[in-house]
Amino acid sequence: MQSYTIGQAARLLGVSPDTARRWADAGRITTHRDGTGRRLIDGRDLAAFSVELARPGSAEEDTPYTSARNAFPGIVTAIKLGDVAAQVEIQAGPHRLVSLLTREAVEELGLEVGMEATARVKSTNVHIDRV
């Protein structure tokens, strides 16, 4: 069976290695040590934990309700405003996402360069949620 290091598990879960380590220390996810002393997580345990983590109600209370499931939390790096349309760029970890939306939407969200935002991808559209 495939096993994952804390760092690999963190990357797959979309969290920092410190968060994954805290979850393991708290007993939320089971680990074992290999011959060199590294903490590993069995693939089946990691799969089950990832499903549990994704269940509704497991996230923070202020998480918005949305039908778009592919969320990329990040920081707004650029905003280009036109008369009617706008372009917003978000850097979410290694991912650069660009959304074309209305100027009105950017203004209503109060988006500014440097603020946190979440890009939600559904099909070929990128939706922006203010954090």
Side-chain angles (χ1 to χ4, degrees), residues 2-9 12 32 39-44 46-47:
Q2 170 112 19
S3 292
Y4 297 90
T5 64
I6 294 285
Q8 290 170 323
L12 292 169
H32 65 279
R39 290 169 72 177
L40 299 175
I41 302 167
D42 286 333
R44 289 184 193 274
L46 183 59

Side-chain angles (χ1 to χ4, degrees), residues 26-88:
R28 289 188 65 188
I29 189 161
T30 305
T31 62
H32 65 279
R33 298 208 182 256
D34 67 5
T36 64
R38 291 185 311 164
R39 290 169 72 177
L40 299 175
I41 302 167
D42 286 333
R44 289 184 193 274
D45 291 338
L46 183 59
F49 182 73
S50 69
V51 170
E52 175 189 328
L53 200 58
R55 279 196 190 119
S58 64
E60 296 178 21
E61 290 298 318
D62 60 353
T63 300
Y65 292 101
T66 180
S67 64
R69 298 292 179 231
N70 300 316
F72 294 86
I75 187 166
V76 177
T77 57
I79 298 174
K80 296 175 186 166
L81 293 175
D83 291 336
V84 177
Q87 177 179 311
V88 176

